[in-house]
Amino acid sequence: MLAVIALLLLGAVAILTVTQMAARSQDRLAVTQSQTTLAAILVARQHEVANLARDYSFWSDAVENLVDQPSAEWADANIGEYLNTSFHIATAVVIDGTDQPTIVFVEGEAQPPAAIAPVLMVLQPLFNAARAAAKGHWTQDTGPEPADGFVMWQGAPAIAAVGAITRQDGEPGPQWDHLLVLIRAIDPGLLNEIGTSYGFKNLHWQATGAKPADTAIALSAPDGSPIGAIAWDPERPGQALLRQMLPAIIGAFLLMLALSGGIIFFLERNRAVMLRHRALIEEQNLALMQQKERAEQLSRAKSDFLSIISHELRTPLNAIIGFADLIRSEVRGPIVPVYRDYAADIRNSGQQLLGLISDILDLSRIEAGKLQLHEERVNLSKMAEACVNLLRPQLDQKRLTATLGDLEGLGCVLADERLVRQMLLNLLSNAIKFTPERGRIAVEGGRATDGGIEVRVTDTGIGMTESELKMALEPFVQIESSLARRVEGSGLGLSITKRFIELHGGRMTLESRKDVGTRVTLWFPPARARSRPHGELDGENRPGGGVPLQCVSQISQGSTSTVTCDRPGKSSSRAL
């Protein structure tokens, strides 16, 4: 009996040890993940200040108003109060070729240059790097690379970025010796914002020489010398796990002790076998629980990572698109026509990348269960016609025929209008991409036999085999073919569309034959059907008496594109 009790005690100690090891492993994983996340956030904030330095130094107006003929009024309007209130730039300084300040703004207010001169020595490595970049290789599209880093600025940590003030039509050389310095303080406000947004508890600055916190990221000046660290109190998921499992372990130990006494009393010869089996089952259950928790944690980490990176990329992309619009609109004055075309290309590329990021963000929200529907009445006929019109340039470019069937009889559905539009645009875009020139695309609809509402998009494209159909529904997967390799895309369209329709309680079906074409059907459940709002024309009252409207896009020998819409006995054309 004592040997059995000793064995049970040994097993309990082993289980506690394994559980404690698992808890410590989880704690270490949480610390590593928080360190990685904070490091990425700091790099992103550092890049934000560097991009501001590039934008406001690589500017012909800056050369004229900060170097050639310094204008205090211009400087105040562009790098003074504006950068402070809009981007939290605490200090903005213009440095001449002798490393002396000529214009100084502190918290958006102009200050005498002599007040800032004594503390500029800490920025000397950044001055040298910025001037070296101005002399090195750069183009009129990008400008010289700004220098950036962490510094101790007037006794407090800060992010500094230095850019050589150059003309947009200039060439590399030593003539660009004036510099623009932007300083953003790492103050409690910034740390509190990061901690609140990303879940860092007690995020604070820790000076050099202080006792290191449990978790900290050390910061170094541009010359490599340490300036301190950013520390926080990490989460302890392992300790919570240990507290949750301890009662279960104690209960399991007591139960095993009672069962062992009964086994010894009644089945002495089978005692060893029973104990071995029970120990094996406990170990397997513990291993399975650990594997399940790790898999769930990795899945959450992946979704959180995609969400964070997507949000961080959307901010600079919106800035890029906004500045491209300003350049294209010639807000600051006339520009060379080719630059206006460049600005349009930048904007279009930014919009395409922003759409991809939005798709990735939607996918991560769906996987995390955070995407909510904003339901309203959606007129499927109008929505389909609007989507076809939106993609008309792509249809014309490939000389495709687009046909709109009779969707008026479907009425409306209760759905999220943005998601319905995105589903139709995804299906139409796929059809356009994978249909050869002079092919046909049709958008049709009708009532299903079960009372649901169906919208079908059919094309005469390259089609897919049965194995390719399964691959097409996987995220980031594109079917290999000569035509597919020539078109752009992320491979998210069908996957996201399937998730969107399932959020509405519906389903998506694919029918395809290789080299013949593909039909994609979206099915909405009967409960989402809604009658047409009062005042809309129905099929029998509108012109044409409910006969399906067919619109064919054609390109004549000139450059004019026309859409021809036909009904029995009537036809009309309009130029696009």
Side-chain angles (χ1 to χ4, degrees):
M1 186 65 180
L2 292 178
V4 173
I5 295 176
L7 288 175
L8 290 176
L9 288 174
L10 183 61
V13 170
I15 293 174
L16 285 172
T17 302
V18 171
T19 304
Q20 189 174 14
M21 291 174 60
R24 290 178 179 176
S25 176
Q26 280 197 336
D27 290 343
R28 287 193 298 269
L29 179 61
V31 169
T32 301
Q33 289 178 340
S34 61
Q35 288 176 332
T36 302
T37 301
L38 183 57
I41 293 170
L42 291 176
V43 170
R45 297 305 170 96
Q46 192 174 350
H47 287 175
E48 287 177 5
V49 180
N51 288 335
L52 283 175
R54 186 202 301 271
D55 291 342
Y56 285 87
S57 61
F58 181 52
W59 190 7
S60 299
D61 288 354
V63 175
E64 295 172 4
N65 293 281
L66 298 178
V67 179
D68 296 341
Q69 296 179 347
S71 169
E73 181 179 355
W74 188 93
D76 180 69
N78 289 275
I79 66 171
E81 182 181 359
Y82 175 71
L83 288 183
N84 176 254
T85 57
S86 300
F87 301 100
H88 306 287
I89 297 301
T91 304
V93 185
V94 177
I95 302 296
D96 63 14
T98 62
D99 292 342
Q100 295 301 314
T102 60
I103 298 175
V104 177
F105 290 93
V106 177
E107 298 299 334
E109 298 292 335
Q111 302 292 334
I116 205 74
V119 297
L120 291 177
M121 290 300 296
V122 298
L123 300 176
Q124 193 62 48
L126 299 181
F127 292 171
N128 298 336
R131 290 196 176 103
K135 297 176 184 178
H137 177 72
W138 54 273
T139 68
Q140 295 179 358
D141 293 330
T142 61
E145 190 72 20
D148 58 82
F150 298 99
V151 298
M152 287 298 294
W153 183 253
Q154 295 181 331
I159 301 172
V162 181
I165 302 177
T166 55
R167 300 185 65 87
Q168 292 163 285
D169 55 355
E171 298 291 338
Q175 66 273 24
W176 314 113
D177 57 353
H178 282 63
L179 305 174
L180 175 63
V181 180
L182 300 181
I183 306 290
R184 178 170 185 180
I186 304 178
D187 53 18
L190 176 60
L191 295 177
N192 183 62
E193 175 192 343
I194 295 174
T196 303
S197 301
Y198 300 98
F200 290 96
K201 184 179 179 181
N202 191 26
L203 191 65
H204 62 279
W205 172 253
Q206 185 171 274
T208 302
K211 182 179 179 181
D214 186 64
T215 306
I217 291 183
L219 301 183
S220 300
D223 60 2
S225 60
I227 62 176
I230 296 178
W232 68 98
D233 298 333
E235 294 184 356
R236 301 290 186 183
Q239 297 299 323
L241 174 65
L242 189 60
R243 286 193 298 270
Q244 291 175 358
M245 294 207 50
L246 188 59
I249 294 174
I250 295 175
F253 171 74
L254 296 176
L255 178 61
M256 290 172 61
L257 182 61
L259 291 175
S260 299
I263 292 172
I264 293 173
F265 184 76
F266 296 103
L267 303 170
E268 180 64 25
R269 289 178 298 181
N270 296 329
R271 177 190 51 163
V273 175
M274 294 291 293
L275 289 177
R276 283 197 300 269
H277 287 176
R278 185 173 297 278
L280 180 60
I281 291 172
E282 292 292 337
E283 290 175 1
Q284 290 175 344
N285 287 340
L286 182 60
L288 289 175
M289 184 179 299
Q290 292 174 346
Q291 292 175 1
K292 176 178 177 294
E293 291 175 351
R294 179 171 178 79
E296 292 175 349
Q297 189 175 34
L298 291 175
S299 177
R300 288 193 300 269
K302 181 201 70 174
S303 298
D304 291 343
F305 173 79
L306 288 176
S307 179
I308 291 172
I309 293 301
S310 298
H311 279 296
E312 291 295 327
L313 289 177
R314 286 167 71 100
T315 299
L317 268 180
N318 284 325
I320 292 171
I321 295 170
F323 281 123
D325 278 336
L326 289 177
I327 295 173
R328 187 181 62 171
S329 302
E330 300 180 329
V331 173
R332 294 284 182 176
I335 61 175
V336 179
V338 68
Y339 285 174
R340 188 164 55 251
D341 296 336
Y342 290 162
D345 292 340
I346 293 172
R347 183 185 184 279
N348 294 336
S349 299
Q351 290 285 11
Q352 181 180 355
L353 185 55
L354 190 61
L356 174 59
I357 292 172
S358 296
D359 286 346
I360 296 175
L361 186 57
D362 282 339
L363 185 62
S364 66
R365 285 174 176 168
I366 292 172
E367 291 182 347
K370 297 180 180 179
L371 186 61
Q372 297 181 349
L373 297 181
H374 301 281
E375 297 181 338
E376 56 184 306
R377 290 176 181 267
V378 180
N379 189 311
L380 292 176
S381 174
K382 292 183 179 179
M383 181 66 71
E385 185 174 0
C387 292
V388 171
N389 289 336
L390 184 63
L391 298 175
R392 184 62 60 189
Q394 293 91 317
L395 291 166
D396 293 343
Q397 184 179 9
K398 296 186 70 174
R399 301 172 183 265
L400 300 176
T401 300
T403 302
L404 282 174
D406 185 13
L407 300 176
E408 290 290 338
L410 296 180
C412 300
V413 294
L414 183 64
D416 189 310
E417 182 178 4
R418 181 183 74 85
L419 299 190
V420 173
R421 180 185 297 108
Q422 189 63 44
M423 287 188 285
L424 291 176
L425 287 175
N426 286 348
L427 298 183
L428 286 170
S429 297
N430 272 1
I432 293 172
K433 288 178 184 178
F434 299 104
T435 299
E437 290 191 359
R438 302 185 185 278
R440 298 186 305 277
I441 298 173
V443 182
E444 304 168 315
R447 287 280 185 170
T449 56
D450 56 6
I453 297 177
E454 292 184 342
V455 179
R456 299 179 291 275
V457 177
T458 307
D459 63 66
T460 59
I462 59 177
M464 292 177 284
T465 63
E466 184 175 352
S467 60
E468 289 174 343
L469 282 175
K470 298 178 180 179
M471 295 173 56
L473 294 176
E474 294 295 328
F476 305 105
V477 174
Q478 286 189 324
I479 306 304
E480 286 291 330
S481 70
S482 59
L483 180 58
R485 285 189 292 268
R486 294 198 300 268
V487 300
E488 299 177 344
S490 61
L492 286 173
L494 286 178
S495 175
I496 288 183
T497 300
K498 182 175 181 292
R499 304 288 183 90
F500 284 171
I501 192 64
E502 288 174 350
L503 282 176
H504 288 83
R507 61 177 179 268
M508 183 183 78
T509 56
L510 286 174
E511 302 169 81
S512 185
R513 291 181 60 188
K514 194 69 174 178
D515 300 325
V516 175
T518 302
R519 171 181 291 174
V520 184
T521 302
L522 299 178
W523 177 85
F524 292 90
R528 290 194 172 272
R530 294 293 185 273
S531 60
R532 187 179 296 104
H534 180 70
E536 287 193 10
L537 293 176
D538 57 18
E540 297 183 359
N541 292 328
R542 60 184 170 88
V547 180
L549 173 66
Q550 293 185 335
C551 297
V552 181
S553 173
Q554 299 177 341
I555 300 179
S556 61
Q557 294 180 354
S559 60
T560 302
S561 173
T562 63
V563 176
T564 302
C565 301
D566 295 319
R567 292 190 181 90
K570 296 184 179 181
S571 67
S572 63
S573 298
R574 65 178 187 271
L576 294 181

